[in-house]
Amino acid sequence: MADGMAIEIGEAGSVLTAFEPGFSDLFPEKGSLRVLWSEGKWTEGPSYLPLTRSVVFSDIPNDRQMLYSELSGEVHVWRGGHRQFVNGTTPDAAGGLILCEHGTRSLTLLSHDGRRVVLADRFEGGRLNSPNDVVQHPDGSIWFTDPTYGIEFPDQGNPGEKEQKGSFVYRYDPGTGELSAMIRDFAYPNGLAFSPDGTRLYVADSAGSRSPGDKRHIRAFNLDSNGQLTGGEIFVRCLNGVFDGFRVDRAGRLWASARDGVYVISESGEVMGRIATPQTVSNLCFGGPDRDLLYITATSDLLVINLVGPV
Ligand code: MG
């Protein structure tokens, strides 16, 4: 699909499929799904930077981070050629950007003053696998997943040996520098996000991408005020492909990546509907000054769709 090609949402050529009432209300009648850029190999890790009205995102096999400007409509290489193979990212509360680096097998902070600081790259004596996706809890702690994709696939990182006993979900405490393995029973933990009040943690297991028939669901955990996790039941199963990155909106709905688009899932776990995309979706983020845009990284593309905001 060419840059700038627009698919109008509407009766003709609709990209929206509603499974539950209320789904269509999330989108304006005259909105559209648009391709902003389509020159990547595997786009990932989008984060919206409000001050500059821009979206940074990764193009992992090309080992570069791109920047899309809402103001100019242009995309350019923001950071490239570092052998870091950045995957998931999230803005931190202090104005920096937290990166999952496959290449260095680390969780890293690009601070507001331009410094690059490795936050975590080892656990119990071994190197991490390849941090995949990251989110910051309202209390400031940084949570990330650590599956092995980045040491298994030469175009996703630097091939290497697994030095951990599993693929864990970690909590990093920026105050103390302590790294804790909070969840140890995932095969390929991938996207993760908190409910708006920080009391629920959702984590995707994308093992089905490696072994058809294996896990392809999101589990939900409760996080109490003492920092203890309980629960972990399957919250929703993926209908097509696996769940990769996802975000939670202010109403508590999950917007989750899958093979054939973005699925919107209610707080109670009902699949409300799907935004169909031309290619497999890896991740997404909300953006726009009114938080009424959804940016989607989908294989070679950066896509955007209008929402009724603020979401
Ligand atoms: Mg991912």
Side-chain angles (χ1 to χ4, degrees):
M1 183 174 289
D3 284 11
M5 188 170 179
I7 306 167
E8 292 301 318
I9 296 171
E11 290 175 0
S14 176
V15 297
L16 301 179
T17 307
F19 304 131
E20 292 286 336
F23 176 71
S24 304
D25 301 339
L26 301 172
F27 305 89
E29 267 181 43
K30 292 291 182 188
S32 62
L33 177 70
R34 301 183 300 282
V35 181
L36 300 173
W37 187 75
S38 59
E39 295 164 38
K41 281 190 176 171
W42 182 254
T43 56
E44 246 287 4
S47 278
Y48 187 72
L49 307 180
L51 192 60
T52 54
R53 291 192 56 185
S54 59
V55 181
V56 295
F57 61 101
S58 302
D59 177 16
I60 299 177
N62 286 315
D63 192 18
R64 57 184 181 173
Q65 282 181 285
M66 312 302 293
L67 187 145
Y68 165 74
S69 166
E70 282 180 353
L71 301 173
S72 71
E74 292 172 358
V75 173
H76 64 83
V77 177
W78 182 52
R79 302 175 70 237
H82 298 287
R83 305 298 294 171
Q84 290 165 357
F85 296 96
V86 172
N87 195 333
T89 69
T90 198
D92 88 334
L97 188 69
I98 303 164
L99 314 174
C100 290
E101 292 186 357
H102 278 184
T104 61
R105 303 168 70 156
S106 71
L107 182 75
T108 299
L109 171 67
L110 279 182
S111 64
H112 63 283
D113 57 5
R115 287 179 306 137
R116 177 181 163 276
V117 181
V118 174
L119 303 179
D121 61 357
R122 301 185 79 83
F123 181 71
E124 292 179 345
R127 284 187 295 172
L128 298 178
N129 298 322
S130 53
N132 187 290
D133 218 338
V134 57
V135 66
Q136 191 164 33
H137 186 271
D139 72 5
S141 60
I142 299 166
W143 295 61
F144 65 98
T145 55
D146 188 42
T148 49
Y149 294 109
I151 54 175
E152 288 177 20
F153 294 95
D155 67 341
Q156 301 272 313
N158 300 317
E161 293 299 314
K162 185 175 181 177
E163 299 180 17
Q164 296 298 324
K165 295 190 183 78
S167 294
F168 304 149
V169 180
Y170 291 100
R171 177 186 189 274
Y172 173 78
D173 185 325
T176 64
E178 186 184 358
L179 185 65
S180 310
M182 302 298 291
I183 308 170
R184 295 174 181 251
D185 64 346
F186 272 63
Y188 282 83
N190 203 318
L192 75 173
F194 286 100
S195 60
D197 65 2
T199 62
R200 295 264 280 174
L201 170 66
Y202 302 101
V203 186
D205 199 325
S206 58
S209 68
R210 299 291 279 128
S211 319
D214 208 336
K215 302 178 188 72
R216 48 196 194 110
H217 53 231
I218 292 172
R219 290 166 58 190
F221 297 82
N222 299 311
L223 181 62
D224 71 21
S225 53
N226 297 318
Q228 298 302 308
L229 282 177
T230 56
E233 69 281 1
I234 293 174
F235 175 71
V236 62
R237 294 178 202 276
C238 192
L239 299 177
N240 194 334
V242 297
F243 289 125
D244 197 337
F246 61 92
R247 307 265 183 176
V248 175
D249 68 21
R250 290 175 184 176
R253 292 177 291 251
L254 282 69
W255 299 65
S257 308
R259 179 184 291 155
D260 58 350
V262 174
Y263 286 83
V264 181
I265 301 146
S266 74
E267 218 171 5
S268 52
E270 292 154 336
V271 180
M272 298 176 66
R274 176 174 66 101
I275 306 165
T277 57
Q279 299 182 84
T280 298
V281 178
S282 64
N283 219 325
L284 48 85
C285 69
F286 302 112
D290 299 321
R291 205 172 147 97
D292 59 357
L293 297 172
L294 178 70
Y295 289 99
I296 302 167
T297 49
T299 309
S300 62
D301 297 345
L302 177 69
L303 311 172
V304 66
I305 189 167
N306 301 80
L307 307 176
V308 175
V311 290

